[in-house]
Amino acid sequence: MQKYLEAGKIVNTHGVRGDVRIESYCDTPEVLSKLKTLCLKTPSGYEKLVCSKSQVYKGMVLAHFKGYDDYDAAVALKNKIVYADRDDISCEEGKYFVADLIGLAVIDNDSGECYGEISDVVNYGAGDLYEVTMKDGKKCLIPAIDRFIASVDIEKAVYITPIGGLLE
């Protein structure tokens, strides 16, 4: 499992004192705003960003990182993806991180047939869709709802109950 998870994207600056606006990839912007340390991915590893203040504003997170105290420093962060340490985010029982789903096999709950693997998770506002790359290379979308997802075993596979036409 990945130690660092994509948590958001710095989309712009806010003001002239080094604050940035972050689009949250977490369940809610509040989850991201509570993190005291985020990271940037660099060629040599992960560089820590210590958050000195943050708040949710109009669905975004406004944050200030130590050492980024003016507009020019904040501009350098624009369009960067920020990562969170897995250990800093709590995950409820029965829940899992999107990064843990990518690459899992998709198996028919009744027949045991393996259809392919999850290649992406897309959120369309009303819920998630699992993008499955089938064994023949084609892609299909499966709604992440109880009707189709029988169970998820993060160590093994996603077990589905397909209906006619779902995987075509």
Side-chain angles (χ1 to χ4, degrees):
M1 290 191 193
Q2 299 173 13
K3 179 166 176 58
Y4 294 101
L5 306 170
E6 285 189 15
K9 180 179 181 180
I10 298 173
V11 294
N12 213 339
T13 60
H14 184 83
V16 295
R17 295 192 176 142
D19 293 351
V20 294
R21 291 179 41 202
I22 306 172
E23 175 186 357
S24 175
Y25 295 170
C26 300
D27 286 343
T28 66
E30 288 79 12
V31 171
L32 181 61
S33 72
K34 291 178 183 170
L35 297 174
K36 298 300 176 202
T37 304
L38 294 171
C39 298
L40 293 176
K41 192 174 187 178
T42 67
S44 60
Y46 289 88
E47 172 191 329
K48 287 192 176 188
L49 297 172
V50 177
C51 187
S52 58
K53 67 176 182 176
S54 65
Q55 68 182 36
V56 176
Y57 178 72
K58 293 186 178 180
M60 296 281 207
V61 175
L62 295 182
H64 185 90
F65 300 113
K66 290 183 182 177
Y68 294 85
D69 296 322
D70 60 32
Y71 176 79
D72 292 332
V75 165
L77 295 173
K78 189 173 176 181
N79 294 320
K80 304 268 185 186
I81 302 295
V82 291
Y83 295 80
D85 188 317
R86 171 187 294 276
D87 298 333
D88 292 342
I89 302 176
S90 62
C91 196
E92 296 176 26
E93 187 70 31
K95 300 277 184 173
Y96 28 83
F97 296 111
V98 169
D100 297 338
L101 294 171
I102 307 299
L104 285 180
V106 176
I107 298 176
D108 189 301
N109 194 47
D110 297 324
S111 70
E113 178 184 354
C114 180
Y115 297 112
E117 66 179 36
I118 295 181
S119 52
D120 198 6
V121 177
V122 183
N123 184 291
Y124 281 103
D128 289 340
L129 295 172
Y130 295 166
E131 180 184 80
V132 178
T133 300
M134 307 296 280
K135 287 184 174 182
D136 63 4
K138 293 181 182 175
K139 295 186 186 268
C140 72
L141 296 172
I142 299 175
I145 59 173
D146 292 343
R147 168 69 180 96
F148 303 115
I149 308 299
S151 65
V152 175
D153 182 340
I154 291 299
E155 302 296 323
K156 296 179 183 175
V158 174
Y159 297 91
I160 65 169
T161 306
I163 59 172
L166 181 67
L167 301 172
E168 296 171 8

